[in-house]
Amino acid sequence: MSALIELDDIRVHYTVPTRRHSPPVTLRALDGVSLAVERSRCLGVVGESGCGKSTLANVLVGLRTPTAGRVRYDGREVGARRSKDLCRRIQMVFQDPVGSLNPRRRVRSVLAELIDHHDLVPDTGMNSALDSLMEMVDLPPRVLEARPHELSGGQRQRVAIARALAVQPEVLVADEAVAALDVSAQATVINLLADLRAELGLTIVFISHDLGIVRTLCDSVAVMYAGRVVEEGTAEAVFTAAQHPYTRALLRAAPDLHRPGTVRRSPALEGEPAGTPETNTGCVFLPRCPEAEAACASAPPPYIGNESHRTACIHAVP
């Protein structure tokens, strides 16, 4: 498999003002993230709130310019100003369809404007193209005449997916795309994404807190903590043989779907997620790690493993 998108040492830093007479500090939203997303595959990105997942999504679609590092698409480096064609190829599905859809406009108007802007079909074929989009996301044609407030949460999110598909993208970045939906609507959207990937050959980056969904949908997984990828590999490797203490803690905290109603008697992580301050010199997980030792404070740990499973921890088994 060839990588369609490659991130090389991506950093996104923010200068945060402090109290009067105190120098500002640097917040490292992303701090050296390197990832490769293979063509027609699904990469899951997981981690606690504030770990940098949404910032990563914004970098992928061009909504955020990295402070440092390189983004490559299909082997070519992407500059700060993306071409119209590249913007079309990488589309985003946001978490909140209510906030991302114009409440005053009918679905037909929203989708038609995108298709027309990119000159994808002639005027005479617009109605047919819109009907095909509705069929693609399993919505009746009458939804085209509705406004967002007239639709259910699941329908709105499928409209948001249709909007992303309207410009015939190659990559779909789904940032917590099912987090605001109930369980039945979640299942509908997840099944839809799986079907679309199979039918259209889409490459998907799926960002989520839900490890169960990620394991079901994704081929590979990247686990993020405090702006860094601490573990990455195939979904099978990460979920069955997690190497990083943080990944194992996430898995222990997830509900046991094979034994509903049971409570896992596993120790919870102590402390709060790191804010990635500029003073950090060692492993970002050090303050909360039950396996920490003196060597962990000296420098960020190197990745141990290979392309199918790598872990940024000195205790990882190669």
Side-chain angles (χ1 to χ4, degrees):
M1 285 286 182
S2 60
L4 183 59
I5 300 178
E6 297 171 274
L7 304 181
D8 183 15
D9 197 27
I10 294 295
R11 300 171 189 271
V12 176
H13 296 175
Y14 300 98
T15 300
V16 182
T18 57
R19 295 178 180 178
R20 189 177 180 182
H21 304 307
S22 297
V25 298
T26 299
L27 179 65
R28 300 174 180 179
L30 294 180
D31 194 26
V33 172
S34 296
L35 285 172
V37 187
E38 294 182 349
R39 188 183 300 272
S40 301
R41 307 284 280 180
C42 182
L43 168 69
V45 181
V46 301
E48 292 172 290
S49 296
C51 71
K53 302 189 301 298
S54 291
T55 302
L56 176 65
N58 289 336
V59 169
L60 287 171
V61 299
L63 294 177
R64 175 66 60 186
T65 301
T67 306
R70 295 182 297 175
V71 180
R72 287 187 293 273
Y73 184 85
D74 204 12
R76 297 182 179 181
E77 187 167 342
V78 176
R81 294 180 63 86
R82 299 192 179 189
S83 66
K84 178 180 175 181
D85 182 63
L86 182 57
C87 291
R88 177 188 67 78
R89 291 172 184 267
I90 308 174
Q91 290 293 305
M92 183 116 141
V93 179
F94 296 91
Q95 176 178 348
D96 180 15
V98 176
S100 64
L101 294 172
N102 190 324
R104 297 187 177 186
R105 299 182 63 183
R106 299 185 189 276
V107 173
R108 176 183 296 277
S109 172
V110 171
L111 300 181
E113 181 182 46
L114 282 170
I115 295 173
D116 183 62
H117 177 71
H118 288 276
D119 298 318
L120 296 174
V121 298
D123 292 341
T124 55
M126 183 65 74
N127 289 335
S128 176
L130 294 176
D131 289 341
S132 295
L133 275 174
M134 290 296 96
E135 182 179 358
M136 197 178 293
V137 296
D138 197 24
L139 287 173
R142 67 174 182 274
V143 169
L144 288 168
E145 310 307 326
R147 292 186 174 89
H149 73 272
E150 299 171 321
L151 304 173
S152 69
Q155 288 176 323
R156 283 192 292 263
Q157 194 60 289
R158 279 181 279 170
V159 167
I161 293 172
R163 181 180 59 183
L165 296 176
V167 295
Q168 303 171 15
E170 294 180 338
V171 180
L172 210 59
V173 180
D175 185 12
E176 298 285 3
V178 298
L181 306 179
D182 60 41
V183 174
S184 61
Q186 282 186 1
T188 300
V189 172
I190 292 303
N191 290 335
L192 173 62
L193 290 174
D195 292 342
L196 289 172
R197 177 190 158 201
E199 293 170 11
L200 304 177
L202 282 174
T203 301
I204 298 177
V205 178
F206 187 79
I207 296 170
S208 179
H209 286 88
D210 194 316
L211 298 181
I213 293 176
V214 170
R215 186 170 190 176
T216 300
L217 181 66
C218 301
D219 303 296
S220 56
V221 180
V223 182
M224 292 190 65
Y225 185 84
R228 298 180 185 175
V229 175
V230 296
E231 186 159 3
E232 180 195 1
T234 64
E236 181 68 19
V238 172
F239 281 103
T240 61
Q243 295 275 303
H244 199 279
Y246 177 63
T247 308
R248 292 197 291 266
L250 286 180
L251 293 174
R252 287 196 303 266
D256 190 342
L257 299 181
H258 299 289
R259 301 177 62 190
T262 60
V263 178
R264 297 190 178 191
R265 303 297 182 182
S266 302
L269 287 175
E270 297 182 357
E272 295 295 326
T276 61
E278 57 186 345
T279 55
N280 179 66
T281 57
C283 176
V284 291
F285 192 56
L286 174 64
R288 304 175 73 192
C289 183
E291 303 174 22
E293 55 186 61
C296 301
S298 59
Y303 283 106
I304 296 174
N306 52 45
E307 291 183 356
S308 64
H309 194 185
R310 61 178 190 145
T311 310
C313 180
I314 63 173
H315 300 291
V317 179

